[in-house]
Amino acid sequence: MSRKPIIAGNWKMHNNCAQTIELIEGLKQELKDIDKNLLPEVVIAPVFTSLYVADEELKKCGCNKISLAAQNCYYEPKGAFTGEIAIDMLKDFNLKYIIIGHSERRQYFNETDEMINKKAKAILENGILPIVCCGETLEQRERGITDSHIQSQITKAFDGISAEDTAKSVIAYEPIWAIGTGKTCDSIEANRVIKMIRETIKSLKGDMAANSIRILYGGSVKPETIDEQMAQSDIDGALVGGASLKADSFAKIVKGAMAKAGV
Ligand code: PEP
């Protein structure tokens, strides 16, 4: 079955409002002559404080080629949670996706699988779609526990979520040792792990969810790597960090996914 690819840019803690507008303007320019139906889904995830201007900038000239994502959220609807942002608040900005469980959140902010599961459920209840990140450390890979670790992350993240909601969700497989290091995971190996994730979804939620869910690869994706990554059977796109911060390199990655997009 055909799955619409997604190329999502995770801007991390970069770009104030003015820089956000500039980058979106550059991206719109790069994509302006391409028919939307030929593009993959293009998603950008600016910092919270730039979501308003990003949304306004995307609405200008009716740009419907780029969707917005947030990089995180909290699962409680409101209350005494200083510094957190509720999903209902993020709904002010026409978000399609919220990234959860990024390894930087797990590593530096102690996010647990249980929290990620609560976030995934709350996001889906609010009519937004989670991009659930998973991936192994170098130490886990060297110990040979990559698959069991990721199976556990996925099982916990999707606990109590229906097959229908799972089908609409997105997973990003991001080997931690490949994030921001310039070392990409070999495409055949990334595809093997992504197939294993799809099998895990199949055993948990059935065929429909496994065949529909889009599973992205993330970890030092660059314009030079995207063709080979997109040529793999189960890689449905990319979550891109560093290379999404420049309009021309991100646009090249978007264009690299077009061969699979026009289906
Ligand atoms: C990421 O932040 O999810 C990521 C994959 O970063 P980079 O592309 O810079 O490795």
Side-chain angles (χ1 to χ4, degrees):
M1 86 173 279
S2 68
R3 295 179 290 267
K4 183 89 172 163
I6 301 177
I7 299 294
N10 173 16
W11 290 5
K12 310 196 186 193
M13 200 171 72
H14 294 284
N15 294 332
N16 61 21
C17 289
Q19 291 161 334
T20 295
I21 293 170
E22 195 184 330
L23 183 47
I24 293 176
E25 275 172 353
L27 202 51
K28 283 188 346 190
Q29 190 61 24
E30 293 276 352
L31 304 181
K32 76 175 184 333
D33 295 327
I34 308 174
D35 183 330
K36 181 176 190 259
N37 295 320
L38 300 177
L39 285 170
E41 263 192 56
V42 183
V43 180
I44 53 168
V47 293
F48 289 134
T49 48
S50 283
L51 285 172
Y52 177 77
V53 291
D55 188 23
E56 292 297 305
E57 189 57 36
L58 292 176
K59 281 192 285 204
K60 245 195 240 170
C61 325
C63 173
N64 61 359
K65 291 179 183 169
I66 303 170
S67 306
L68 263 189
Q71 297 177 19
N72 184 29
C73 63
Y74 197 51
Y75 49 82
E76 294 291 351
K78 63 178 162 198
F81 302 103
T82 302
E84 292 297 322
I85 311 260
I87 299 162
D88 192 48
M89 296 160 188
L90 293 171
K91 281 164 84 176
D92 282 344
F93 310 117
N94 279 313
L95 291 190
K96 184 157 185 196
Y97 298 100
I98 302 179
I99 299 170
I100 53 172
H102 192 283
S103 60
E104 288 152 15
R105 300 243 23 116
R106 294 180 192 254
Q107 189 182 345
Y108 305 131
F109 303 98
N110 301 320
E111 286 203 6
T112 62
D113 288 320
E114 191 195 12
M115 288 163 76
I116 291 156
N117 175 244
K118 284 185 181 171
K119 289 182 184 194
K121 285 179 176 158
I123 290 168
L124 287 157
E125 275 160 20
N126 275 278
I128 302 177
L129 303 174
I131 299 179
V132 180
C133 302
C134 62
E136 80 287 1
T137 62
L138 187 57
E139 195 233 326
Q140 287 166 328
R141 175 159 283 268
E142 283 170 354
R143 280 171 53 211
I145 59 166
T146 296
D147 293 12
S148 59
H149 173 68
I150 291 170
Q151 276 160 1
S152 162
Q153 286 184 320
I154 293 299
T155 304
K156 289 174 183 161
F158 286 91
D159 184 41
I161 295 179
S162 69
E164 288 68 28
D165 277 347
T166 303
K168 294 186 279 183
S169 302
V170 178
I171 293 173
Y173 166 56
E174 301 206 302
I176 297 169
W177 48 272
I179 297 179
T181 58
K183 281 188 220 155
T184 7
C185 179
D186 173 75
S187 300
I188 296 182
E189 170 59 8
N191 196 50
R192 184 197 69 77
V193 176
I194 286 177
K195 270 189 174 169
M196 182 278 295
I197 295 172
R198 210 176 287 291
E199 280 302 312
T200 305
I201 293 290
K202 186 175 169 179
S203 69
L204 295 169
K205 312 285 175 184
D207 281 340
M208 185 278 293
N211 290 332
S212 307
I213 191 166
R214 284 166 302 169
I215 311 181
L216 317 181
Y217 167 76
S220 297
V221 173
K222 305 180 239 342
E224 308 82 67
T225 64
I226 191 69
D227 288 352
E228 192 187 312
Q229 285 152 345
M230 291 309 295
Q232 305 302 317
S233 62
D234 280 63
I235 300 183
D236 299 322
L239 181 56
V240 187
S244 70
L245 295 173
K246 293 261 181 303
D248 60 345
S249 62
F250 191 57
K252 280 184 191 146
I253 294 171
V254 167
K255 289 173 193 168
M258 281 175 65
K260 253 189 186 175
V263 284

